[in-house]
Amino acid sequence: MKKSKYRRLLTVLPISFILLGCESGDETQDEAENASEAVEYTFTGIEAGSGITELTLGMIEDYDNLEGWEINKSSTAGMITALDRAIENEEPIIATAWSPHYIFAEHDLKILDDPKNSLGEEETIKTIARQGLEEDKPNAYKILDRFNWDIEDMQEVMLDAQEIPFEEAAQNWVDDNGDKIAEWTEGSEEVDGESFHLISTPWDTERASSNVMAIVLQDLGYEVDLTNVDPVVMFQAISEDEGDASLSPWLPTSFGAYYEKFEGQFEDLGPNMSGVANTIIVPAYMDIDSVEDLKPRK
Ligand code: PBE
């Protein structure tokens, strides 16, 4: 008698677990359906010319379940405002983003799985220079070649720049990190007002690096000019000798197409930072974990 009772328990328990599992699976499906409809099958995006916008368009092609999805291209500021607003009202939102970014410190966010890897894996940010820079401006070239910092360093500048202009945030970081700068500038001699044209992309990550570099080069005696442009224009400027160098190429995926397009017309000085990534994010209260959970447009 006793024995069969236990046997019954053994058979019943797993079944009830399976049922529970099914139920939560259905809920996730419903939530995914509702959320996809509520966001009108649209990713809240950033600037049209950005790497992540292109990658997200590719992602929509890669996944059958994203049929009919669109990306609302606006601006990084627009994306952040939409995210802030949605979270304030606990509404669904699915946005393109990247790491490092202060939104991860400000909100409880989830990065959606991307099993097809449409957005690429972890990337590095590389330094590129125009052909001939080493001969023309060897002192600056040496610094660029050595320049390498950590995500924590960049984050410090970006966070500070929430309150004060980037130039000042970069100056604060330079003032506090003499040891790192000494490593980059070792063996470089001072120059007397030579011009240097640094080309950057307009996102905070690169505004942080290029403003720090501008100060380091200025301190060595260069007259630095800093221009922010779209990624493709940045590659073109360096390739056509209109700019001296850039610290902003995210590779191999984000700017991979531009890198290939201009390959051979610029010099690759290697990574200046590693561990960055493109992401699709949702607020943590949304019951969606993967890009694959989303539903096609009806
Ligand atoms: N981002 C993320 C750049 C590089 C990757 C916004 C900083 C972009 O998408 O172009």
Side-chain angles (χ1 to χ4, degrees):
M1 189 64 190
K2 234 180 181 176
K3 203 177 172 190
S4 67
K5 194 178 162 194
Y6 280 124
R7 199 171 286 149
R8 210 176 97 82
L9 258 181
L10 279 174
T11 50
V12 165
L13 260 180
I15 288 169
S16 62
F17 275 131
I18 289 165
L19 284 175
L20 273 175
C22 276
E23 207 166 274
S24 76
D26 280 350
E27 271 166 24
T28 303
Q29 293 294 311
D30 286 351
E31 167 94 16
E33 186 78 63
N34 293 343
S36 301
E37 201 179 336
V39 301
E40 291 175 13
Y41 309 95
T42 303
F43 294 102
T44 301
I46 62 163
E47 289 80 0
S50 67
I52 189 154
T53 298
E54 286 301 315
L55 295 179
T56 305
L57 288 170
M59 186 183 80
I60 292 170
E61 297 292 310
D62 294 343
Y63 290 85
D64 289 344
N65 62 300
L66 293 181
E67 204 190 320
W69 276 70
E70 284 168 23
I71 174 165
N72 175 13
K73 297 164 220 162
S74 65
S75 64
T76 299
M79 180 276 285
I80 293 170
T81 306
L83 185 70
D84 290 344
R85 229 177 258 159
I87 289 176
E88 211 173 291
N89 301 317
E90 254 201 60
E91 284 166 357
I93 182 165
I94 307 174
T96 66
W98 56 94
S99 167
H101 200 293
Y102 72 81
I103 51 175
F104 290 99
E106 222 153 67
H107 298 298
D108 199 0
L109 301 170
K110 272 197 291 196
I111 293 174
L112 295 191
D113 288 342
D114 166 25
K116 291 186 194 253
N117 234 332
S118 305
L119 300 187
E121 309 205 305
E122 264 193 12
E123 301 202 275
T124 59
I125 308 180
K126 285 186 150 187
T127 301
I128 62 169
R130 68 170 169 82
Q131 303 275 23
L133 186 74
E134 187 171 13
E135 296 80 61
D136 295 347
K137 298 176 186 176
N139 294 297
Y141 180 91
K142 259 184 238 162
I143 297 177
L144 291 161
D145 202 17
R146 285 165 177 257
F147 172 59
N148 190 285
W149 64 342
D150 298 328
I151 287 202
E152 291 72 32
D153 296 314
M154 181 186 260
Q155 250 161 351
E156 205 179 306
V157 179
M158 292 197 295
L159 223 55
D160 214 12
Q162 291 304 301
E163 314 288 333
I164 55 175
F166 258 100
E167 293 79 3
E168 283 174 36
Q171 185 65 60
N172 289 344
W173 189 90
V174 167
D175 292 345
D176 293 345
N177 288 275
D179 48 339
K180 282 188 187 157
I181 289 158
E183 278 173 30
W184 308 337
T185 54
E186 202 192 311
S188 285
E189 281 159 30
E190 288 195 6
V191 298
D192 188 15
E194 258 181 67
S195 69
F196 196 91
H197 195 182
L198 208 49
I199 311 272
S200 182
T201 51
W203 295 283
D204 282 12
T205 37
E206 281 62 60
R207 289 172 80 187
S209 56
S210 51
N211 274 285
V212 164
M213 182 55 71
I215 292 168
V216 172
L217 292 174
Q218 268 156 13
D219 288 349
L220 205 73
Y222 284 97
E223 250 344 300
V224 182
D225 207 9
L226 173 57
T227 314
N228 290 333
V229 293
D230 275 358
V232 68
V233 180
M234 178 267 292
F235 271 97
Q236 189 174 357
I238 303 297
S239 300
E240 295 177 357
D241 297 348
E242 278 164 22
D244 289 311
S246 179
L247 309 173
S248 37
W250 284 44
L251 291 160
T253 310
S254 295
F255 300 169
Y258 309 136
Y259 187 97
E260 274 170 33
K261 182 169 179 209
F262 293 100
E263 199 162 9
Q265 296 174 253
F266 60 85
E267 197 185 334
D268 181 343
L269 304 191
N272 60 58
M273 200 170 89
S274 54
V276 301
N278 291 297
T279 61
I280 300 290
I281 51 154
V282 298
Y285 53 76
M286 285 177 72
D287 192 12
I288 293 178
D289 297 306
S290 170
V291 166
E292 275 189 325
D293 291 340
L294 301 171
K295 301 291 171 203
R297 187 188 284 268
K298 278 193 265 184

